[in-house]
Amino acid sequence: MTAPGPAREAAPVASRTGLPEQPRERVRTAPGRTANARPVPAWRTLWPAALCLLPLGLLGAAAWYGRWVRPGADEWCFLPVVRDEGLPGMVGKFYLGDNGRIANAVLVWAYGTFGVAGHQWFGLVSGVVTLGILWAVTVSALRRGGLTAPRGIPLLVASMVTAVFLFATPNTYKTFYWPASSVSHTMAPVLACAAAVPLLRARSRRGRRCALVAVFVAGLCMGTLSEEASVVVLVVLSAVLLVLAGRLRAGVRRWCLAGMAGTVTGTLVLYTSPGARIRRERFDTDGVSFLAPDSLLGSLRGFGHILGTLLTTWAYLGAVAAGVLLGLLIRGPGGRRVVLPGRWPLLSCAGVLAFLVSGYLCTVVAYPAFGASVMTSSRVWNDYLLLYVAVLVGAGALVGLALGVRVRRTGAVQAAGAGVCAVVCLALAVPLGQLERDMRVRAVKWDRQDRWMRAHAAEGDRVLPYMPLSVGGMVEPFRKHGRKVWPATCVADYYHLERITYSLRLP
């Protein structure tokens, strides 16, 4: 059955924007339902907005806990450079000496210029940015597809995705609270998603040109921000080109190619930089081929372990539940129920394969430097973890569409989906509360030691004792009972000292 007048009127709009025309699959009326479906009562649409309070409350609490964040690990080395040399010094440090990540250096400078306060506010700012981008992508995608949803559903989907993406990982501190890791592994895929918003909202030739410029610049920044996130971008854009081949409009094809061109350009800038060469020499990977059999097999074992961890983490069911609610409640023109698209098996396989391929390739890229520890270094999973969560939401949405056709009354299914979202949010709050207590203990000790060291440095002392204070598996000077010294030199620079010595107690 084809859609009546309103659906056919949407086709010229899609043609002008260069997006694929598929209104018939999206909006045809489900069998056994009348063309003029009765609108849902207003009171029944209020609960999605109320349900949003749970993931939003979780995000708010996590942002409030950010007041206990204090510098550690790499930031001991970043902060003296930001303080003494500013942005040029930070970019020079990364491009010429560390890893070649120019965009990473800019983001580090952005929060590092505020010192400890920048670390404390980072969680709030990054959480708001993540939620805002995912919300904008959800709303724009629904609008582009000619679909509507009850008030609060787009925000519910975006907030649940944000919550499970940030807090269902094995190490929330390094994912959300550690700025040095977050800007290069957690925020990178989120910022990549932002490049889709101009395309989804483009309505004119000028809008499509702006979308091309935006995706090229985003790809360029991504290439100089994170090697692993660049791999994910290239795999996803390639999947779009392959899956929609033959049905793809020129505008979408140009958009994908522009994004790939920008990402490849940025990656080449990074790879050929002096800092990247020094990093490869430091980890003794300058002559290691990513295609070496040992490296490929080790990466496969590592990714298999990572995949097992992800598939057995039940909290990700929150993303599936949010997708089910989305599929059940979205409507086409005229309030008609939306049915499964005709190519849903192909789209499902493409999403799963894109995740598996990008995840394995990211592991291949990280394996020469991390070795077997890539299985436990969960922060490097975040580059493709957002794609995993998006695939789960998509799978849930397909299930919701199918249930909407086969089940006459979906109230029980909606209640079950809402219950899963609620249980997941409450379950994630428990380890987050424990982490807050650990962070508070460290912050109190850190502040005490910081005041003592500053006071003695001001009095002219050049060598001072330092007690390592770690949280969330963070690296501190003199770990492993003093055998691992780094970053002791950076701590001494931070306090204007010649050196620090290992201490077992606070001053």
Side-chain angles (χ1 to χ4, degrees):
M1 178 184 291
T2 58
R8 289 195 297 269
E9 293 173 2
V13 177
S15 300
R16 291 195 299 270
T17 57
L19 290 170
E21 299 180 48
Q22 294 178 315
R24 293 174 182 256
E25 290 181 346
R26 294 195 194 98
V27 301
R28 63 175 182 265
T29 305
R33 300 186 185 271
T34 61
N36 296 317
R38 297 175 61 184
V40 179
W43 65 270
R44 293 187 180 179
T45 65
L46 296 178
W47 66 265
L51 187 59
C52 290
L53 297 178
L54 286 175
L56 291 178
L58 187 66
L59 291 169
W64 175 246
Y65 298 160
R67 71 190 190 277
W68 302 119
V69 175
R70 299 295 187 270
D74 303 68
E75 287 145 359
W76 285 122
C77 300
F78 297 160
L79 290 176
V81 177
V82 173
R83 177 192 63 203
D84 300 335
E85 304 177 37
L87 179 59
M90 199 69 238
V91 172
K93 172 180 172 58
F94 272 63
Y95 183 75
L96 299 175
D98 281 3
N99 48 38
R101 300 172 183 170
I102 299 175
N104 196 343
V106 175
L107 293 178
V108 169
W109 169 83
Y111 73 80
T113 192
F114 298 100
V116 175
H119 294 70
Q120 294 172 327
W121 283 92
F122 181 84
L124 173 62
V125 174
S126 63
V128 170
V129 169
T130 300
L131 177 62
I133 289 176
L134 296 180
W135 190 10
V137 170
T138 305
V139 172
S140 301
L142 291 174
R143 183 177 299 176
R144 171 58 68 189
L147 306 173
T148 59
R151 182 174 300 176
I153 282 294
L155 179 58
L156 174 63
V157 172
S159 58
M160 282 301 302
V161 169
T162 303
V164 298
F165 174 55
L166 296 177
F167 308 131
T169 62
N171 193 326
T172 296
Y173 189 88
K174 290 186 177 180
T175 296
F176 182 64
Y177 290 111
W178 184 21
S181 172
S182 181
V183 295
S184 56
H185 296 291
T186 305
M187 293 303 299
V190 175
L191 296 176
C193 291
V197 175
L199 176 70
L200 294 171
R201 291 187 172 272
R203 294 292 188 275
S204 62
R205 180 174 298 179
R206 181 179 180 181
R208 293 192 294 272
R209 290 175 178 172
C210 291
L212 289 177
V213 174
V215 74
F216 179 83
V217 173
L220 187 64
C221 294
M222 203 57 51
T224 58
L225 178 60
S226 170
E227 298 92 329
E228 292 84 0
S230 299
V231 169
V232 177
V233 168
L234 292 174
V235 170
V236 170
L237 294 180
S238 299
V240 173
L241 289 173
L242 292 175
V243 171
L244 300 181
R247 302 166 63 98
L248 199 62
R249 295 295 176 180
V252 179
R253 184 183 298 110
R254 286 194 295 266
W255 184 85
C256 291
L257 293 176
M260 296 172 72
T263 305
V264 170
T265 303
T267 302
L268 289 175
V269 172
L270 185 152
Y271 188 80
T272 57
S273 66
R277 185 178 65 252
I278 292 173
R279 185 173 187 268
R280 292 193 295 269
E281 294 173 352
R282 182 168 64 248
F283 288 102
D284 196 23
T285 59
D286 198 35
V288 173
S289 172
F290 293 128
L291 301 179
D294 291 343
S295 180
L296 293 177
L297 289 176
S299 300
L300 185 60
R301 288 191 297 268
F303 182 61
H305 182 275
I306 295 169
L307 196 60
T309 301
L310 295 179
L311 293 177
T312 55
T313 301
W314 69 271
Y316 289 114
L317 289 177
V320 179
V324 171
L325 293 175
L326 178 66
L328 286 172
L329 297 174
I330 57 174
R331 295 292 183 267
R336 297 177 182 84
R337 186 177 293 280
V338 184
V339 298
L340 284 170
R343 306 178 77 198
W344 71 265
L346 177 62
L347 298 175
S348 301
C349 292
V352 173
L353 288 176
F355 161 67
L356 293 176
V357 171
S358 61
Y360 175 64
L361 291 180
C362 287
T363 309
V364 169
V365 171
Y367 189 82
F370 285 85
S373 65
V374 73
M375 294 186 293
T376 56
S377 300
S378 58
R379 62 188 175 93
V380 301
W381 308 356
N382 295 330
D383 294 282
Y384 53 88
L385 186 59
L386 184 59
L387 177 59
Y388 173 65
V389 176
V391 170
L392 293 180
V393 173
L398 292 177
V399 172
L401 292 175
L403 290 175
V405 173
R406 291 169 173 78
V407 179
R408 179 174 296 275
R409 296 185 180 276
T410 61
V413 180
Q414 294 179 29
V420 171
C421 291
V423 170
V424 167
C425 289
L426 295 176
L428 292 177
V430 175
L432 187 62
Q434 179 60 51
L435 177 60
E436 187 268 345
R437 289 188 287 273
D438 296 340
M439 292 164 57
R440 183 173 67 248
V441 170
R442 180 191 185 243
V444 172
K445 294 180 179 180
W446 194 97
D447 290 343
R448 174 182 168 183
Q449 182 164 248
D450 178 70
R451 289 191 297 269
W452 185 87
M453 296 192 72
R454 288 183 183 278
H456 281 261
E459 294 174 359
D461 292 348
R462 308 305 299 161
V463 179
L464 293 175
Y466 178 87
M467 177 181 173
L469 301 169
S470 182
V471 65
M474 293 285 290
V475 173
E476 277 283 285
F478 310 118
R479 64 191 184 279
K480 294 186 177 180
H481 305 289
R483 292 192 300 271
K484 298 291 186 179
V485 177
W486 188 88
T489 304
C490 299
V491 175
D493 292 338
Y494 181 76
Y495 289 109
H496 301 285
L497 302 171
E498 291 181 1
R499 62 187 179 90
I500 59 174
T501 59
Y502 181 37
S503 175
L504 294 175
R505 62 183 181 85
L506 285 174

